[in-house]
Amino acid sequence: MKAAGSIEVPVPGLPVTPRSVPRRVLLASTIGSAIEWYDFYLYSTASALVLGPLFFPSQSPTAGTLASFATYAAGFVARPLGGVIFGHFGDRIGRKSMLVLTLLIMGVATFLVGVLPTYKQAGIAAPILLVSLRVVQGIGIGGEWGGGVLMSGEHAPANRRGLYASFPASGFPLGLFASTAMFRLVSQLPSDALLSWGWRLPFLASIVLVAIGVFVRLGVAESPEFVRVQQAGERVRVPLAGVLRQGPVPVLRGGFASLGLAMIVSVYSVYLLSYASSGPATAHRSEVLNGLLIGALVEAVLLPVTGLLSDRYGRRPVLLFGYAVCALVGLVAPQWLTSGDRTLVILTFVLAMGIGHAAVYGAISAFLIDMFPPEHRYSALAITYQLGATVASFGPLVAAALAGATRTAVPGMCLLWGCLVAAAIAVAVGKVDLPGARPPQAEGTPEQTGQQPAPASVD
């Protein structure tokens, strides 16, 4: 215990970080991440429920669904671009400023979706504007994910990186829960009211959340690992070039691992949501939304647990467990979601999203961080993760196109299983820590471990 009146003497060359700073960073990263995922997944839910008839009404029901899913995918196509842009400046300028900027970009784009004219009001300009804003959202979220997990993971003690990095990951289920809850609420409106103005409310509410998120993020400290790189003069002119020089194996391995993670979301929260709330199952739409809500809440609770388990038992077994759970649930998910049985609907999302996806998402952040050195880590995480997410975003579109007018979920589930197998292989083979990476060690100096040095005290 430090004596009263003692003075903290900083260790030369290293930033002094009060013990409360990591907690503030965790809070800021989690809140900001939740708001950005709320913004991003508002469109996911809306694309499955209302955007087809509003922006693509001249199409047949099948073509309208395809067009809506294509716009959903457009946001993911833009994510690698956002990853390149914000990863570059995040490695050059700092993590904190990029996180504030991505939050502003996402919030403004989401708010503007809420004021868009529909096809009936503006004709072809309406879907063009919708796609444009979706692309802007994709650019914003492309830079958000890597920065959020880095701010937490790089503030973490060496043996708690999985736990710390899992907190901003909790923003995903919280954002998914909030966006689903908002649409669950407005879906209680009469159909005419929902399609005329009710669908706009969740998008318009985003601007309030963004203001809160920006305020919180402005008050956090910069990543200590970035500060060390900056002070040591180790920043590289083109971080992406450093990623490429490290070789293709880490990028491919991280990309396939992320593909499995993202395909779980695309299939369970978008494709199957649309499948279960159309055709004969339309009457069960509210049950499906309730199940997704409960699954998201369970995931938010379990994510820190799975991150902690990855610290104790390793990233690999936790990731493989999560992939296996989601693959097994896929064998029965289409039948359970259209059964009309509330228990089976809830169980589907609790198992797939609450447990399986939580295991993957809780471990993958630290898994990726450990593979790359800090001087180009933001760029590396943004590229590997966004490549996998972009490919997975086409899952609902491809599955719906293969199914055509036939009411079958087989194409979607086959895509899910193929991606999960590829992800599991990428995680299982090779070294846990790839050559060229500088993962934290349990023992060593603060420079080796990434831990904050204890400040010296003099009385």
Side-chain angles (χ1 to χ4, degrees):
M1 182 174 177
K2 188 174 66 173
S6 63
I7 303 173
E8 290 185 352
V9 178
V11 178
L14 289 174
V16 174
T17 305
R19 293 184 178 182
S20 61
V21 167
R23 291 195 292 268
R24 291 202 302 269
V25 170
L26 290 181
L27 178 63
S29 297
T30 304
I31 291 175
S33 176
I35 293 170
E36 295 221 39
W37 283 115
Y38 168 85
D39 289 344
F40 196 74
Y41 276 104
L42 273 181
Y43 184 88
S44 302
T45 308
S47 69
L49 301 178
V50 299
L51 293 187
L54 288 171
F55 289 88
F56 311 99
S58 61
Q59 310 293 330
S60 68
T62 300
T65 299
L66 291 175
S68 184
F69 283 159
T71 310
Y72 165 76
F76 284 85
V77 172
R79 286 170 68 164
L81 175 60
V84 170
I85 294 172
F86 291 104
H88 174 84
F89 289 105
D91 285 324
R92 292 285 301 163
I93 299 175
R95 318 322 195 190
K96 174 182 172 179
S97 56
M98 294 303 104
L99 285 179
V100 173
L101 185 56
T102 57
L103 186 57
L104 285 171
I105 289 173
M106 282 291 296
V108 172
T110 302
F111 177 81
L112 291 177
V113 170
V115 298
L116 280 182
T118 63
Y119 188 92
K120 183 178 180 180
Q121 296 167 327
I124 192 63
I128 291 175
L129 290 171
L130 180 65
V131 172
S132 299
L133 290 175
R134 183 62 177 169
V135 169
V136 172
Q137 280 191 326
I139 292 174
I141 203 71
E144 153 66 24
W145 187 86
V149 299
L150 281 182
M151 281 294 284
S152 296
E154 291 182 344
H155 274 92
N159 61 344
R160 286 292 181 266
R161 176 163 280 175
L163 173 63
Y164 275 55
S166 70
F167 273 90
S170 299
F172 163 76
L174 292 174
L176 180 62
F177 173 85
S179 62
T180 305
M182 286 293 286
F183 263 98
R184 174 72 178 85
L185 183 63
V186 299
S187 68
Q188 304 304 307
L189 294 169
S191 181
D192 290 344
L194 174 63
L195 294 177
S196 63
W197 56 267
W199 69 273
R200 300 179 183 275
L201 298 179
F203 291 95
L204 298 177
S206 167
I207 201 68
V208 178
L209 300 178
V210 169
I212 297 172
V214 168
F215 174 78
V216 172
R217 281 190 168 178
L218 284 173
V220 302
E222 181 58 88
S223 157
E225 290 195 33
F226 174 79
V227 171
R228 278 192 286 274
V229 168
Q230 186 179 42
Q231 292 177 344
E234 296 177 353
R235 285 181 297 175
V236 294
R237 185 178 297 274
V238 183
L240 183 58
V243 178
L244 298 178
R245 282 195 298 270
Q246 191 171 329
V249 174
V251 174
L252 291 175
R253 193 178 183 212
F256 276 110
S258 302
L259 173 63
L261 169 74
M263 187 59 77
I264 295 168
V265 178
S266 289
V267 169
Y268 280 102
S269 70
V270 180
Y271 177 73
L272 286 177
L273 178 62
S274 176
Y275 172 80
S277 58
S278 61
T282 301
H284 307 302
R285 174 183 296 177
S286 62
E287 300 296 342
V288 176
L289 288 173
N290 286 338
L292 187 56
L293 283 172
I294 295 172
L297 279 179
V298 173
E299 181 174 9
V301 173
L302 290 185
L303 264 169
V305 176
T306 60
L308 186 61
L309 289 174
S310 78
D311 286 327
R312 182 165 185 176
Y313 299 106
R315 322 297 183 208
R316 179 182 289 169
V318 178
L319 287 166
L320 294 177
F321 169 78
Y323 293 139
V325 170
C326 293
L328 291 173
V329 176
L331 296 172
V332 296
Q335 293 78 23
W336 284 8
L337 291 178
T338 56
S339 66
D341 188 321
R342 180 180 303 176
T343 301
L344 292 179
V345 170
I346 293 174
L347 188 60
T348 300
F349 288 111
V350 168
L351 291 174
M353 298 298 295
I355 297 177
H357 188 259
V360 179
Y361 210 16
I364 200 167
S365 299
F367 175 79
L368 295 176
I369 290 174
D370 290 347
M371 289 198 292
F372 301 98
E375 57 264 27
H376 61 246
R377 186 178 283 157
Y378 200 141
S379 298
L381 263 67
I383 293 301
T384 54
Y385 181 79
Q386 301 309 335
L387 283 176
T390 299
V391 174
S393 71
F394 288 93
L397 176 62
V398 172
L402 292 174
T406 305
R407 181 168 171 75
T408 175
V410 172
M413 307 322 294
C414 288
L415 284 174
L416 173 68
W417 293 323
C419 290
L420 290 179
V421 169
I425 292 173
V427 170
V429 301
K431 296 181 180 179
V432 175
D433 299 316
L434 299 181
R438 299 207 297 260
Q441 303 297 322
E443 298 178 355
T445 66
E447 291 87 346
Q448 294 170 324
T449 65
Q451 288 180 297
Q452 296 300 313
S457 299
V458 293
D459 293 328

